[in-house]
Amino acid sequence: DQLEAERGLFVAGPTVVFKWRNLADWPVDYASPNLPGVFGWPTEELTSGRVPYAALIHPADFPRVAAEEEAFLADGRPHYEHEYRLRRPDGDFRWVYDLTVPVRDSRGALSYFRGYVLDITDRKAAAESLRDAEARLLETQRLESLGVLAGGIAHDFNNILMGILGNAGLALSEVPAASTVHDTIKDIETSARRAADLTRQLLAYSGKGKFVVEKLDLSRL
């Protein structure tokens, strides 16, 4: 009854238990009965040796996984864990969390590995979606901050321009139109008005001004 109850944990659970031999391709000696339901592989495909476990690991992940295993064993850890992509029979790759326990004999020699492998694809996708949402929120906050900054600059700059335009207007009233200085002051006034247009655009960008939306003939322009 106890054995049947423990077997039921693996039949219905999301974690697949493996027993891997201590060889280069990690051939499978045992896989829990829920392997077909979780990862789609018939158990005998792996336990017969036709498909070694290493062949299921994504080629881009395999060098890292092998290097991590070597480092973990060198540290003498009682167990280690990592994440990588595992191939299903249909070619689809699933992200898995793998907790592996090296099993040693009475002399301390490594006999085999016992692994607990859990599909975390949906969890990683949800985490990635959350990170994207946070990034979009940060970008929105950054743009809002730029808008507030732009509005403050535009108001202060507008005050400076009012002084320039007012003094230019007073100077023009005192200078004869035939004077060369008159044209120079006129240029100052024109440039200041262009700068004032720029501040209006900054205010519109910050939400404190108004956009003028109208149809435009590009060819005419």
Side-chain angles (χ1 to χ4, degrees), residues 74-109:
D75 288 344
R77 299 188 188 185
H79 66 269
Y80 54 86
E81 54 194 275
H82 38 207
E83 297 179 3
Y84 50 87
R85 287 164 289 180
L86 201 67
R87 178 170 57 86
R88 289 175 53 88
D90 58 7
D92 183 34
F93 280 94
R94 306 289 293 178
W95 276 100
V96 299
Y97 164 79
D98 173 357
L99 188 146
T100 295
V101 179
V103 180
R104 302 179 184 276
D105 60 21
S106 58
R107 294 171 297 177

Side-chain angles (χ1 to χ4, degrees), residues 127-190:
E128 186 68 29
S129 177
L130 180 59
R131 282 193 294 270
D132 289 344
E134 289 174 345
R136 288 195 296 272
L137 177 60
L138 288 173
E139 179 66 11
T140 300
Q141 292 173 339
R142 187 181 72 84
L143 291 174
E144 288 175 352
S145 298
L146 285 174
V148 173
L149 178 64
I153 291 173
H155 278 298
D156 290 342
F157 194 49
N158 232 12
N159 292 335
I160 297 170
L161 290 173
M162 291 304 294
I164 295 173
L165 284 168
N167 283 290
L170 290 172
L172 283 173
S173 67
E174 298 291 334
V175 175
S179 171
T180 54
V181 178
H182 183 280
D183 291 340
T184 303
I185 298 173
K186 195 69 178 172
D187 288 342
I188 293 173
E189 187 180 51
T190 301

